[in-house]
Amino acid sequence: HGEAGIVLSEGKVNLVYSRLAKRLRAIGLRSFREYCELLRSKQGIDERQAMISAMTTNVTRFFREPHHFDFLKSTVLPPLVADARRGGRVRIWSAGCSSGEEPYSIAMTLLGMMPDALSHDILILATDIDPEMIARGRAATYAQSQVASIPDKFRANALETGKGGQHSRISECLRSLIRFNELNLLGPWPMKGKFDVIFCRNVVIYFD
């Protein structure tokens, strides 16, 4: 709670036990008492991050809650696209991006409306507290089961099929629209400018 704002009720005891028991085995500790002592020590900085990563639930998929993206397309983006064409600046933030499916879905929606978006001052910032999720988002490589939820109308321009067809990589035009960065929402925010759109879905439900 102190590090990341995540609230863990008494009902989460089994979840906490199962996830952190794996951490104890990974680093060779015998008890949770030893683990707590490590977390409180100066030497435990890296493990505190590993603990937060272990306790963070990363449930996501492309175009999760499709009506959100329908609203983005029909209501939110049209005036922003018009402003960008007049030379304006457009910034969109995916504040809990997990492994990248949400910001890539935003980018697909945007490029579907504005194929020349890369030639304008448009950028999507994607942040998450978990560095492993940020690395996956930057890698932009997903199993075929993961990309199955991408609508057919976006597939041709969105995906680069990998060797053997087991995985697909998000196309360069989409990757170029997004900047992935690690960010704890309870810590200092380095961004100085305003955002036109902020996606903060399935994030604040973990806070009090």
Side-chain angles (χ1 to χ4, degrees):
H1 182 269
E3 291 275 338
I6 298 172
V7 176
L8 297 169
S9 66
E10 290 295 328
K12 300 282 183 69
V13 169
N14 290 334
L15 179 145
V16 173
Y17 179 89
S18 63
R19 293 189 181 185
L20 294 188
K22 295 176 183 177
R23 290 302 311 156
L24 266 68
R25 290 194 294 271
I27 61 180
L29 295 183
R30 294 172 295 178
S31 71
F32 282 101
R33 184 181 298 277
E34 288 180 304
Y35 190 62
C36 288
E37 290 174 356
L38 172 63
L39 293 173
R40 294 189 186 105
S41 70
K42 292 182 179 180
Q43 293 73 32
I45 293 175
D46 290 341
E47 184 55 35
R48 284 200 291 274
Q49 179 59 64
M51 175 193 67
I52 291 171
S53 296
M55 295 311 307
T56 304
T57 300
N58 293 290
V59 177
T60 187
R61 64 178 180 272
F62 291 100
F63 291 91
R64 186 182 184 190
E65 304 289 352
H67 61 283
H68 292 177
F69 297 95
D70 292 339
F71 183 77
L72 181 69
K73 178 182 178 181
S74 65
T75 305
V76 178
L77 284 179
L80 297 178
V81 167
D83 188 48
R85 292 197 185 283
R86 291 190 294 266
R89 173 183 180 276
V90 175
R91 293 295 183 270
I92 300 172
W93 179 20
S94 172
C97 69
S98 189
S99 47
E101 286 89 330
E102 178 176 271
Y104 286 125
S105 299
I106 296 169
M108 288 179 215
T109 304
L110 174 62
L111 279 181
M113 298 180 63
M114 191 182 190
D116 61 339
L118 283 171
S119 63
H120 297 275
D121 190 3
I122 301 175
L123 187 67
I124 300 168
L125 173 65
T127 66
D128 199 272
I129 195 172
D130 190 337
E132 182 180 340
M133 293 297 107
I134 292 298
R136 290 187 192 180
R138 285 190 183 131
T141 301
Y142 300 93
Q144 295 301 342
S145 59
Q146 293 173 294
V147 302
S149 58
I150 297 176
D152 292 340
K153 62 184 178 181
F154 293 125
R155 285 177 172 272
N157 294 324
L159 300 176
E160 301 169 356
T161 304
K163 184 178 180 181
Q166 297 300 310
H167 292 80
S168 290
R169 193 176 191 209
I170 300 297
S171 63
E172 184 178 358
C173 61
L174 289 169
R175 300 197 308 269
S176 298
L177 277 171
I178 303 172
R179 299 291 181 271
F180 284 93
N181 286 304
E182 183 182 343
L183 180 66
N184 183 340
L185 293 176
L186 265 64
W189 292 4
M191 309 87 76
K192 302 302 181 185
K194 292 183 178 181
F195 288 90
D196 302 285
V197 183
I198 299 175
F199 274 64
C200 195
R201 309 182 314 156
N202 304 298
V203 176
V204 295
I205 57 173
Y206 296 105
F207 299 159
D208 57 16

